[in-house]
Amino acid sequence: MTIFSDEYFMQIAINQAKEAKEKGEIPVGAIVVANNQIIAKSHNLTELLHDVTAHAEIQAISAAANYLNAKYLKNCTLYVTLEPCQMCAGALYWSQISHIVCGAEDSKRGYRAFGGKLHPKTTIKYGVLEEECRNLMIEFFTKKRT
């Protein structure tokens, strides 16, 4: 069995973020991996669904839980292009996900800016393909503001 790298999986999350961007959504993508297999892919859908809770992470948590037929995502890894917000961090806390790998940090709206916490057993890694993830956001908002 081939073992894929964090960069490999983050690139797939980036592809999801690009799908969001094409739909006019904020370009955040997420995937959930279990046993080296992608079990959920998602991106922001807040505009399309008219739902402020339809963030990429929330969509990924729901899809992964449905796939596993379980409410907890133990032994799973979330790859997300942007640091989760407070709401998503709360959902990730309750999902008991084992690992989170983030692309870009979000110093303004990320969960750490609000003193948020993750489940004590959850590990988090920052900076995987960070520049590409950050540039997607910069390009999106630059275009939106011009």
Side-chain angles (χ1 to χ4, degrees), residues 19 27 37 79-80 82 96 137:
E19 279 190 44
Q37 176 185 354
Y79 290 84
V80 62
L82 185 67
Q96 298 184 24
M137 298 297 287

Side-chain angles (χ1 to χ4, degrees), residues 75-138:
N75 302 313
C76 292
T77 301
L78 172 78
Y79 290 84
V80 62
T81 58
L82 185 67
E83 176 184 343
C85 71
Q86 180 80 350
M87 173 185 72
C88 293
L92 289 162
Y93 180 100
W94 291 111
S95 79
Q96 298 184 24
I97 196 156
S98 296
H99 310 285
I100 300 171
V101 179
C102 290
E105 294 183 40
D106 187 350
S107 60
K108 292 182 182 177
R109 292 190 172 93
Y111 77 98
R112 294 179 298 168
F114 298 96
K117 300 196 184 295
L118 297 171
H119 193 275
K121 293 183 180 176
T122 300
T123 64
I124 190 158
K125 178 179 181 179
Y126 294 97
V128 176
L129 300 182
E130 180 177 13
E131 188 173 341
E132 190 172 351
C133 294
R134 185 178 44 241
N135 286 341
L136 270 172
M137 298 297 287
I138 291 168

Side-chain angles (χ1 to χ4, degrees), residues 34-65:
N35 298 317
N36 206 38
Q37 176 185 354
I38 298 169
I39 62 169
K41 290 190 220 179
S42 65
H43 53 271
N44 274 359
L45 291 170
T46 59
E47 300 298 328
L48 180 69
L49 299 178
H50 307 288
D51 181 355
V52 296
T53 67
H55 289 196
E57 300 94 325
I58 301 295
Q59 302 300 312
I61 291 166
S62 294

